[in-house]
Amino acid sequence: LGATLADVTVFGDLRQLNTSATSVVGIDLNAVYGAQSDFGDLTFSLDVSYLFNFDEQFSTLTPTLELVDTVTNPVDLRLRGGVGWTQTRFSATTYVNYVDDYLSDRVIGTPVPIASWTTVDLGVQVDLSGIADSFVFDGTEILFNVRNLFNQEPPSVDRQQGALRFGFDTANADGRGRTLSFQIKKRW
């Protein structure tokens, strides 16, 4: 057969290919309503996120996995509702955050329900401009915020990722508890 090395052509494609596919079907709604009253301006807001499905397929050769409402993946329903009040130089807002319940994704046995989680956030802002004719107060704001005002613990989930063991779902809850922040802002 007389073939030599010069007769052989080799092509190599060493690019990494992303052959996975993700399909997300859901709806997001944001509504804001403002009203004026004798004691200040009011703002009402509602954010809703609802997922019908969250499907993932790692390659065309693997089955499609439905991941909505499983640990470390999005839950089907999240809500954030708020009420704000502003009068002259003072404003306050409060938000209620809700993460719907879902199931653990145990490989062996029956999946365990994971409770819903509701937290409340609070913010207060004071604009010091106009209090006195002073460079210190003019353009100065004080802000105070509290996340998870009532220190609600996240729902318990027995989850291990590598050598780390978590008692809650890090994708759907925050384990830090109540968090306070204080800011002073100055414009000039």
Side-chain angles (χ1 to χ4, degrees):
L1 295 141
T4 66
L5 190 56
D7 296 327
V8 177
T9 304
V10 176
F11 293 98
D13 185 353
L14 302 177
R15 293 178 290 179
Q16 292 184 357
L17 301 175
N18 183 357
T19 60
S20 66
T22 302
S23 172
V24 179
V25 178
I27 186 168
D28 291 326
L29 171 70
N30 174 269
V32 177
Y33 176 77
Q36 294 180 338
S37 70
D38 293 338
F39 58 91
D41 297 334
L42 296 171
T43 304
F44 302 92
S45 64
L46 179 64
D47 292 310
V48 179
S49 179
Y50 189 84
L51 289 177
F52 297 102
N53 69 328
F54 187 92
D55 297 337
E56 199 164 84
Q57 187 177 22
F58 296 108
S59 78
T60 56
L61 303 174
T62 61
T64 300
L65 301 174
E66 171 60 45
L67 298 177
V68 71
D69 277 345
T70 60
V71 177
T72 70
N73 293 296
V75 296
D76 62 351
L77 178 64
R78 287 182 181 269
L79 302 170
R80 180 172 168 91
V83 176
W85 171 68
T86 302
Q87 185 179 39
T88 315
R89 293 185 295 266
F90 182 80
S91 65
T93 55
T94 186
Y95 291 96
V96 176
N97 309 291
Y98 174 80
V99 177
D100 202 16
D101 61 341
Y102 55 107
L103 297 174
S104 72
D105 54 352
R106 285 182 161 178
V107 176
I108 300 172
T110 305
V112 176
I114 299 167
S116 62
W117 192 46
T118 303
T119 60
V120 176
D121 301 334
L122 175 68
V124 176
Q125 180 175 343
V126 180
D127 185 354
L128 300 178
S129 298
I131 288 180
D133 191 18
S134 165
F135 173 76
V136 173
F137 293 113
D138 192 37
T140 302
E141 293 177 319
I142 297 174
L143 297 94
F144 178 71
N145 292 298
V146 183
R147 290 188 59 190
N148 194 356
L149 178 67
F150 300 111
N151 203 28
Q152 292 291 330
E153 291 187 12
S156 178
V157 176
D158 187 19
R159 185 75 175 169
Q160 186 166 349
Q161 292 175 327
L164 299 175
R165 187 168 203 92
F166 298 95
F168 66 97
D169 182 356
T170 57
N172 291 305
D174 188 342
R176 290 179 286 187
R178 183 183 304 119
T179 306
L180 308 174
S181 68
F182 179 77
Q183 295 177 319
I184 297 176
K185 292 168 58 172
K186 173 72 176 160
R187 293 181 311 275
W188 62 86

